[in-house]
Amino acid sequence: MSSQPIGVYDSGVGGLSVVKEISSKLPWERVAYFGDTARVPYGEKRAQEILELSREAFRFLIAQGSKYIIVACNTVCSQVLEDVKKEFGIPVMGILQPGAYAASRATATGRIGVLATTGTIRSGAYEKAITQYLSEAQVFGVACPRLAPLVEEGNIDTAETRNALRGYIGPLLEKDIDTLVLGCSHYAHLNEHIRRIVGPGIEIVDPAVETVTATAIALQELGLQSQERVGEHEFIVTGDPACFLAVARRLLGDDLTKVGRVEVSPI
Ligand code: DGL
């Protein structure tokens, strides 16, 4: 049993999809959120830089008393998750592996599309992870460098974002996919628009959902689950807290009443 927070790490507002899921599935758990909004986007950064940034985030979340860390950034998971796991003696769940598992379960035809950042697509991590669960799967990845910055700026429901989405998703529809993975946590916030573009016949996989299911099991196995909610979620960003709040309020809705603190990270 532990009333310490679950640390959630993302480059920006993307990991709020995981917070939303925690609030609905594990309402007794408290979150310490670290959004690296001063350095977002991570999608085009080199692995070494991502590793340095991840180390800072881990040190910060551990200093906040986190009992467990969810890496809600696929870009981090695709390139440096194993390194940070080894370096820090804290249980860690990355969002990519559960997302890959969910995709392998969701598909009927084995034809799976993945929308993700340039770094994640270039790493081939989704293809590798999905084919571990379903060896005959055919995985088609599309890098979407414009999307995370658009979401970060709060451009959720704009013509620019919808046009960008159509451009990225079009080639996947031509591949006759039956499952589409939102392989960057920022894209979960575009779910509605994505659904409109792909229509009702394609399964959309949001890795945040499976990640929180797997976290619930892991916390139980480790004896780290909380019995009752102690305190509020805390959101810590490296950039401007007011910008984060403005976007987070749109994305998180009622959950924002649970924001205890938003301030610039002391890193
Ligand atoms: N949200 C992150 C991911 O899941 C990365 C977005 C970015 O910083 O480029 O990949």
Side-chain angles (χ1 to χ4, degrees), residues 144-175:
C144 313
R146 289 170 63 202
L147 294 185
L150 282 168
V151 171
E152 203 61 37
E153 289 159 12
N155 282 312
I156 310 293
D157 196 10
T158 63
E160 190 184 359
T161 302
R162 286 191 296 272
N163 285 340
L165 277 173
R166 273 193 287 272
Y168 291 133
I169 294 171
L172 289 176
L173 297 180
E174 282 166 24
K175 299 281 182 203

Side-chain angles (χ1 to χ4, degrees), residues 34-251:
F34 180 89
D36 198 1
T37 55
R39 277 100 49 116
V40 71
Y42 279 13
E44 312 276 316
K45 294 192 197 303
R46 298 202 351 263
Q48 186 56 36
E49 187 181 356
I50 295 172
L51 180 58
E52 299 297 335
L53 298 174
S54 303
R55 285 182 177 133
E56 289 182 13
F58 267 62
R59 274 186 225 117
F60 180 80
L61 287 172
I62 290 168
Q64 293 288 108
S66 302
K67 59 185 174 186
Y68 186 92
I69 292 178
I70 298 178
V71 179
C73 179
N74 292 271
T75 308
V76 170
C77 294
S78 70
Q79 295 166 77
V80 304
L81 186 69
E82 291 313 310
D83 298 298
V84 278
K85 261 189 185 171
K86 264 182 239 147
E87 273 179 46
F88 296 91
I90 182 165
V92 177
M93 174 73 65
I95 192 170
L96 193 150
Q97 202 72 30
Y101 174 72
S104 74
R105 301 298 301 251
T107 186
T109 63
R111 299 178 73 81
I112 298 170
V114 178
L115 299 174
T117 64
T118 305
T120 300
I121 295 299
R122 203 187 285 139
S123 74
Y126 260 106
E127 180 163 16
K128 199 168 151 220
I130 290 171
T131 51
Q132 269 169 13
Y133 298 115
L134 188 68
S135 57
E136 67 273 24
Q138 280 183 280
V139 180
F140 307 96
V142 172
C144 313
R146 289 170 63 202
L147 294 185
L150 282 168
V151 171
E152 203 61 37
E153 289 159 12
N155 282 312
I156 310 293
D157 196 10
T158 63
E160 190 184 359
T161 302
R162 286 191 296 272
N163 285 340
L165 277 173
R166 273 193 287 272
Y168 291 133
I169 294 171
L172 289 176
L173 297 180
E174 282 166 24
K175 299 281 182 203
D176 206 18
I177 56 166
D178 78 339
T179 300
L180 179 63
V181 183
L182 308 185
C184 167
S185 51
H186 280 71
Y187 310 165
H189 304 300
L190 302 173
N191 208 328
E192 264 177 49
H193 297 302
I194 294 171
R195 169 57 72 206
R196 259 179 241 136
I197 294 169
V198 302
I202 289 180
E203 278 292 330
I204 296 176
V205 172
D206 174 3
V209 176
E210 189 66 28
T211 298
V212 173
T213 301
T215 294
I217 295 166
L219 290 178
Q220 194 143 22
E221 281 172 5
L222 294 164
L224 285 176
Q225 74 276 35
S226 177
Q227 288 295 79
E228 55 174 334
R229 176 73 170 267
V230 181
E232 305 298 330
H233 293 337
E234 288 189 1
F235 296 82
I236 299 102
V237 294
T238 54
D240 181 359
C243 290
F244 179 84
L245 253 176
V247 181
R249 196 167 276 141
R250 294 180 56 168
L251 300 179

